[in-house]
Amino acid sequence: MLSRSVPRLVAGLLLCLAALLTGCSSAAPSASPADTAPGVSAAPGWARGMGTVREARLPAEARATLALIDGGGPFPYARDGVVFGNFERMLPLHQRGYYHEYTVRTPGERDRGARRIVTGQAGEIYYTDDHYESFRAVLR
């Protein structure tokens, strides 16, 4: 009798393991303030109090936009690099011109879509996928 229940037990354990792994493999960036790798120090001061996401966990299109920013362009959208006004006051307050925004391509969108990267003059990087309703600090 035990020999018949062992395959069922193994199958059940494998099914549970598959369900757990599927739930842990979300491709969406984390909104957790503690989204740092083991051994990595806490978020920098400019990111304290807000959600963070590691660069590696951003969508591929956001990583491509960061590569363009790092390389100084060329940028595919005419509005890339314009001053971000921070009118929503979701980011720390600074003088006008401190922040600049860049479009993150959204597959299937005909226009610029809702995804943006906003950079600050001191090297800060923020990501929004809901057109400035929320931001996450990008940790590199």
Side-chain angles (χ1 to χ4, degrees):
M1 184 156 190
L2 181 61
S3 62
R4 289 184 186 173
S5 60
V6 170
R8 288 183 183 168
L9 177 63
V10 170
L13 288 173
L14 288 174
L15 184 61
C16 289
L17 179 62
L20 283 172
L21 290 175
T22 301
C24 294
S25 66
S26 171
S30 172
S32 169
D35 187 26
T36 57
V40 174
S41 62
W46 58 267
R48 295 213 197 296
M50 70 184 321
T52 61
V53 59
R54 287 182 290 172
E55 179 179 359
R57 296 207 49 207
L58 287 171
E61 299 84 5
R63 293 191 310 270
T65 300
L66 280 173
L68 288 175
I69 293 167
D70 291 342
F75 300 104
Y77 297 92
R79 304 250 333 131
D80 285 346
V82 300
V83 170
F84 174 71
N86 196 25
F87 301 122
E88 298 82 3
R89 299 190 181 281
M90 297 289 291
L91 301 180
L93 298 180
H94 289 283
Q95 76 279 4
R96 179 154 176 77
Y98 185 85
Y99 295 113
H100 291 84
E101 69 174 273
Y102 301 86
T103 304
V104 174
R105 190 176 71 76
T106 303
E109 289 286 330
R110 293 183 149 195
D111 61 7
R112 290 175 66 208
R115 303 191 302 180
R116 303 284 188 278
I117 288 178
V118 174
T119 61
Q121 289 179 359
E124 310 96 305
I125 301 171
Y126 302 95
Y127 175 72
T128 178
D129 58 7
D130 55 16
H131 204 257
Y132 319 122
E133 293 291 322
S134 65
F135 285 93
R136 284 170 263 175
V138 177
L139 304 177
R140 291 186 121 175

